[in-house]
Amino acid sequence: MQNARIQPVATLREAKKNNGVKRRRIKFDLKMPEAQQVILMGDFNLWNPEINPMRKDKEGVWRTSVMLYPGRYEYRLWVDGQWYNDPNNTTKCPNCFGSDNNVMEVLS
């Protein structure tokens, strides 16, 4: 009997890339001029605080954008060491910590 060669499973990114699915630029903003630091975290960046720090403009609005494939994503904003929900998005779902995450659907 010949040993079967195991092929690695394609990652979601590779699978979508091979199927011609394109990412979309999604913009986030938060008007909070008194904040010292705002970070966008979600399942799209594995909740990593180093990937999507936001930048404050002259009007005190924190902004960033991310390139996302179509799909459903959960996220929150980390503002000066505290979790905040996105006031621009009222769609939420409960998380395992007893609070809510924002939910967004990126369409193709």
Side-chain angles (χ1 to χ4, degrees):
M1 182 160 95
Q2 193 173 9
N3 288 341
R5 185 169 177 211
I6 298 173
Q7 296 292 326
V9 177
T11 65
L12 180 61
R13 180 179 292 158
E14 290 168 339
K16 289 183 177 184
K17 184 177 179 182
N18 291 338
N19 289 329
V21 177
K22 295 186 179 185
R23 295 185 300 166
R24 297 191 56 199
R25 181 175 306 278
I26 307 299
K27 296 178 181 180
F28 297 86
D29 60 76
L30 175 69
K31 184 167 180 122
M32 194 173 282
E34 68 279 6
Q36 299 301 305
Q37 180 186 51
V38 179
I39 301 170
L40 172 66
M41 288 192 268
D43 50 12
F44 50 83
N45 65 13
L46 302 176
W47 299 91
N48 185 331
E50 297 183 14
I51 295 179
N52 296 110
M54 298 176 77
R55 294 182 185 227
K56 185 165 53 171
D57 67 17
K58 295 175 187 174
E59 289 80 40
V61 178
W62 293 82
R63 301 179 190 279
T64 194
S65 63
V66 294
M67 297 296 291
L68 297 174
Y69 286 105
R72 179 188 180 277
Y73 298 95
E74 295 183 25
Y75 71 97
R76 290 192 87 186
L77 301 166
W78 183 253
V79 181
D80 295 338
Q82 304 248 344
W83 287 112
Y84 281 80
N85 286 104
D86 183 349
N88 300 310
N89 178 1
T90 58
T91 306
K92 299 176 189 167
C93 71
N95 62 34
C96 63
F97 301 105
S99 57
D100 292 328
N101 292 339
N102 286 107
V103 177
M104 69 172 165
E105 184 80 26
V106 177
L107 303 175
S108 55

